[in-house]
Amino acid sequence: MNSLDDPVILGQAYYPHNILITHPGHLNDIYDELLTLEPIKYLFKFLDDVPDKVFAYKREQICANLSTLLGFCQEVLEIALILEIIDRPETKAGDFILRDGTLRPLQVKQSYLVKLGEYAHHKGVKVVAVTKQSLTKMELAYTFKQIDNYLQDQLKYEYPFVETDPKRKKLCCWFEIPDVVLKAAYQGDMFIKKSIRGGRGFGLFMAARLDYVEKLQNYDWLILDVKYLLQSVMEDAFDTLSLIIKMRS
């Protein structure tokens, strides 16, 4: 969000007050504090509804144990931060928001996620969720190997490279993951349904083969959950992801 080489210069941290758990009642205190955080309040104002309607689970289920509660808090806060970033004055049409995971959190009902996705689209902001580990990667392991063999052993010799290091001469590609693969990986879970009703979230699953990155050799293939699909959008997302990961390395 600046013109310098370092891609991260603007940050915002939110620190909770309730972090010590000595009895079950403290779980409810953490839940209540979550609702008082500014990004969460802003999210509910945008959605124009109350937590009991927005959240997919009741308070009793969320506060059943610390692990479930903290996972819930993280997911909801990350969704709220998408909205916060969209509406920051520094964010312009054509910018990307990168999220770790997918655009299909189970904690927020789909209709509200779709509303957020439509708003991002209206503002011209592209939301891309990046998953390093995914069931679809296991399902596509053989396919990835065959694609890599074709790209690196046959096709790349037809193209000139500026890079001189052989291990950095990598061809990249991306494709939408077909329904048959998603169904096999997730066994028919509504999590994968590509619909704005009766499914989860608002994105499309893609697989992307990244350029060579020294510190991410096990993550050459990433699963992307993209807000909406246009060829130019996906190409821009792919180039941006490659650049960011290179800079991080």
Side-chain angles (χ1 to χ4, degrees):
M1 304 186 74
N2 64 88
S3 59
L4 305 178
D5 292 336
D6 187 352
V8 179
I9 195 171
L10 178 64
Q12 175 67 50
Y14 296 97
Y15 298 100
H17 296 289
N18 295 286
I19 59 176
L20 180 63
I21 307 296
T22 59
H23 64 79
H26 288 157
L27 298 176
N28 288 289
D29 293 339
I30 293 176
Y31 180 91
D32 290 334
E33 184 181 4
L34 173 71
L35 302 183
T36 66
L37 296 179
E38 290 302 321
I40 303 299
K41 292 193 292 185
Y42 189 62
L43 176 65
F44 285 120
K45 182 179 179 181
F46 167 78
L47 298 176
D48 192 26
D49 219 327
V50 296
D52 287 345
K53 296 290 184 66
V54 174
F55 296 153
Y57 302 100
K58 300 297 183 183
R59 174 197 283 260
E60 294 75 19
Q61 296 171 288
I62 297 168
C63 297
N65 56 68
L66 183 60
S67 177
T68 300
L69 175 61
L70 294 182
F72 169 84
C73 291
Q74 178 179 339
E75 287 282 3
V76 173
L77 183 56
E78 288 182 0
I79 292 299
L81 292 178
I82 290 178
L83 176 62
E84 180 180 289
I85 295 171
I86 290 173
D87 283 343
R88 288 194 67 91
E90 299 88 354
T91 304
K92 308 298 182 184
D95 285 347
F96 285 85
I97 297 176
L98 302 182
R99 180 182 189 272
D100 185 18
T102 73
L103 300 177
R104 294 163 167 75
L106 300 178
Q107 290 76 8
V108 178
K109 293 179 181 177
Q110 185 185 24
S111 59
Y112 299 100
L113 294 171
V114 170
K115 184 176 182 179
L116 178 60
E118 290 175 341
Y119 182 65
H121 178 78
H122 172 72
K123 299 281 282 189
V125 177
K126 306 171 181 66
V127 184
V128 182
V130 184
T131 306
K132 298 181 290 296
Q133 299 291 352
S134 170
L135 294 175
T136 53
K137 290 186 70 172
M138 297 176 61
E139 191 69 26
L140 288 171
Y142 177 75
T143 302
F144 288 158
K145 184 175 181 180
Q146 294 299 103
I147 293 175
D148 275 337
N149 289 341
Y150 173 67
L151 290 177
Q152 316 315 334
D153 296 340
Q154 301 180 47
L155 193 61
K156 79 173 183 180
Y157 297 106
E158 300 180 14
Y159 296 89
F161 282 87
V162 175
E163 291 282 357
T164 57
D165 187 348
K167 67 183 180 181
R168 295 187 178 276
K169 294 182 179 181
K170 294 285 186 179
L171 289 182
C172 307
C173 70
W174 58 267
F175 60 89
E176 183 179 354
I177 299 175
D179 289 349
V180 62
V181 173
L182 294 175
K183 290 177 180 177
Y186 293 101
Q187 300 181 355
D189 196 315
M190 70 174 181
F191 181 79
I192 63 154
K193 186 176 181 182
K194 293 185 293 185
S195 173
I196 60 174
R197 294 183 179 180
R200 297 300 313 181
F202 52 83
L204 294 174
F205 275 121
M206 312 292 295
R209 202 318 175 178
L210 295 181
D211 196 356
Y212 178 85
V213 182
E214 186 73 38
K215 295 182 180 180
L216 292 175
Q217 294 183 48
N218 294 329
Y219 299 133
D220 285 349
W221 282 95
L222 297 178
I223 304 301
L224 310 180
D225 198 0
V226 186
K227 180 187 54 137
Y228 61 97
L229 177 63
L230 292 174
Q231 182 170 350
S232 60
V233 170
M234 194 58 209
E235 289 173 349
D236 288 346
F238 177 73
D239 292 340
T240 302
L241 282 169
S242 296
L243 176 61
I244 290 174
I245 292 178
K246 284 181 179 178
M247 296 177 75
R248 289 181 62 187
S249 69

